[in-house]
Amino acid sequence: MAEIPSTPADGNVLAVLLPAVADIDAITLAEATAASAVDISCYLTSDGYTPSLDEQVITDDRLCSRETYEQPGRSQRGLSLTYIDNTNAPNEATDNEAKDALVPGSEHVLLVRRGVPFETPLAADQTYTAFRIKPGQYMEMPPEANSVLKITQKQFITGRSGVSKKIAAAA
């Protein structure tokens, strides 16, 4: 088998907060690039985008079998975000957009595009994953030597997520 190239993660992830979308499975380019969209990619730490998935199992026992089978059960997505915090810094008014947008209890859609250089503008037919989120409380992380100030927040998933969907060209 020929060697299969891989896609580096560094610099190839874009994370944008959207106020709302009509269809989580077909976010339009206009929705993804609206003036109200907030790009939080450069606020997130390198390990600050932490999605999770918990899939439950339905046990499928049969009287006639010596084996136990399984069926897929309920699933639950989770998300935690860790980002830099410029509170009280000289640049707080201009460079604290993640904290300013992720107010506990507010509602957003987080659109994440992977595998394309961060700087490349969003375009129709690019693949994305999107979560309907409601940010939890701010958790100020303890200061560390040789580090920056950070906040971690649980993001409550409030609706169905769109996984590996394509950006639609028009509404």
Side-chain angles (χ1 to χ4, degrees):
M1 174 184 242
E3 225 176 282
I4 298 171
S6 58
T7 304
D10 294 348
N12 288 320
V13 179
L14 175 75
V16 180
L17 290 172
L18 309 175
V21 297
D23 183 353
I24 197 90
D25 292 327
I27 295 175
T28 66
L29 185 58
E31 289 172 323
T33 59
S36 55
V38 179
D39 182 350
I40 61 169
S41 308
C42 292
Y43 290 94
L44 294 174
T45 61
S46 62
D47 61 351
Y49 166 66
T50 313
S52 63
L53 176 63
D54 180 25
E55 291 187 275
Q56 301 297 313
V57 175
I58 297 171
T59 302
D60 189 0
D61 293 330
R62 305 295 171 101
L63 183 62
C64 65
S65 179
R66 291 176 187 87
E67 295 182 49
T68 298
Y69 306 110
E70 297 179 338
Q71 294 291 331
R74 292 178 181 248
S75 63
Q76 180 179 0
R77 292 194 178 274
L79 179 63
S80 178
L81 298 178
T82 301
Y83 51 90
I84 63 171
D85 178 18
N86 286 321
T87 301
N88 291 327
N91 58 332
E92 176 182 12
T94 56
D95 297 322
N96 220 18
E97 289 182 282
K99 184 176 183 190
D100 292 345
L102 292 166
V103 174
S106 59
E107 294 184 359
H108 309 274
V109 171
L110 177 65
L111 179 144
V112 178
R113 179 196 66 191
R114 299 166 17 125
V116 176
F118 157 77
E119 303 85 359
T120 303
L122 286 164
D125 291 325
Q126 290 178 340
T127 301
Y128 69 87
T129 292
F131 305 93
R132 292 186 190 280
I133 60 171
K134 184 180 286 188
Q137 297 301 310
Y138 299 123
M139 168 70 156
E140 294 177 349
M141 301 306 294
E144 303 171 309
N146 300 313
S147 186
V148 297
L149 296 175
K150 297 177 269 193
I151 287 177
T152 294
Q153 265 181 300
K154 175 176 177 44
Q155 304 301 311
F156 293 92
I157 307 297
T158 60
R160 204 172 45 72
S161 300
V163 179
S164 295
K165 302 299 180 181
K166 297 284 187 179
I167 295 175

